[in-house]
Amino acid sequence: MAGILATILDAIYGFIGNYGCAIILFTLLIKLALLPLEYKSRKGMKQMERLQPQMVALQQKYANDKEKLNQKTAELYQREHVSPMSGCLPMLISMVILFVMFSAMRQSANLQMARQTLNYLADGVFQNERFLWIRNLWMPDSPFAAAMPTAN
């Protein structure tokens, strides 16, 4: 799955020609694709919030009888057509997709770093992929970059 998302990222780069903008657009596309899951998750959470006062009342009423509390809680969920997992499951799916997206971006970064290294060894010229204030998009920024002198 990460390979598919990496291919999509590379296709966006092929269309735009700048990896910084391609990553932003790729992130927006993933966020747009996850919007229905986020909506469903929020809807489930709102339903659970709506039932919270009834849940508290049940907990107070059946504080000493856990079995009866579980039975009445299940009846409440069934009567209100609410699933306690309705808020969590879409978030878990979204989390997996975001991990795959991160893996795809890491895969593209590793490939680009290898290309930059091979180009440097072949040509002797190191070409950074710059974006806004970032000196090299494929390498982590250093908090000491502004304070420490460069080799040039």
Side-chain angles (χ1 to χ4, degrees):
M1 180 111 172
I4 294 169
L5 291 181
T7 304
I8 292 171
L9 177 61
D10 290 336
I12 293 170
Y13 169 73
F15 182 70
I16 293 177
N18 182 322
Y19 263 110
C21 293
I23 289 171
I24 291 171
L25 186 59
F26 178 66
T27 305
L28 289 174
L29 287 174
I30 295 294
K31 184 70 175 168
L32 193 65
L34 294 177
L35 207 57
L37 291 174
E38 186 175 332
Y39 173 76
K40 190 170 180 106
S41 175
R42 288 180 189 244
K43 186 178 173 185
M45 283 189 241
K46 291 283 187 193
Q47 288 175 335
M48 291 301 291
E49 277 181 31
R50 185 175 48 84
L51 292 181
Q52 195 62 33
Q54 295 171 1
M55 291 291 299
V56 170
L58 285 175
Q59 288 171 350
Q60 290 173 351
K61 187 175 181 180
Y62 300 107
N64 297 330
D65 190 3
K66 296 291 183 189
E67 188 175 313
K68 191 75 167 172
L69 174 64
N70 289 338
Q71 179 186 359
K72 292 295 182 179
T73 302
E75 288 174 7
L76 176 65
Y77 289 152
Q78 192 173 21
R79 184 176 65 239
E80 296 293 328
H81 304 291
V82 173
S83 171
M85 295 300 289
S86 63
C88 298
L89 192 59
M91 284 183 9
L92 289 174
I93 294 169
S94 296
M95 187 177 72
V96 169
I97 292 172
L98 290 174
F99 283 153
V100 171
M101 175 188 147
F102 179 75
S103 176
M105 291 172 56
R106 173 74 68 193
Q107 182 179 340
S108 290
N110 290 341
L111 182 64
Q112 292 303 319
M113 277 302 298
R115 282 186 184 153
Q116 284 182 355
T117 303
L118 291 175
N119 287 343
Y120 176 71
L121 292 174
D123 302 337
V125 177
F126 193 75
Q127 295 177 335
N128 292 337
E129 177 77 31
R130 301 180 72 91
F131 182 71
L132 298 178
W133 67 90
I134 303 169
R135 291 183 185 159
N136 188 355
L137 195 58
W138 307 117
M139 294 184 70
D141 274 346
S142 169
F144 305 109
M148 296 178 66
T150 62
N152 294 337

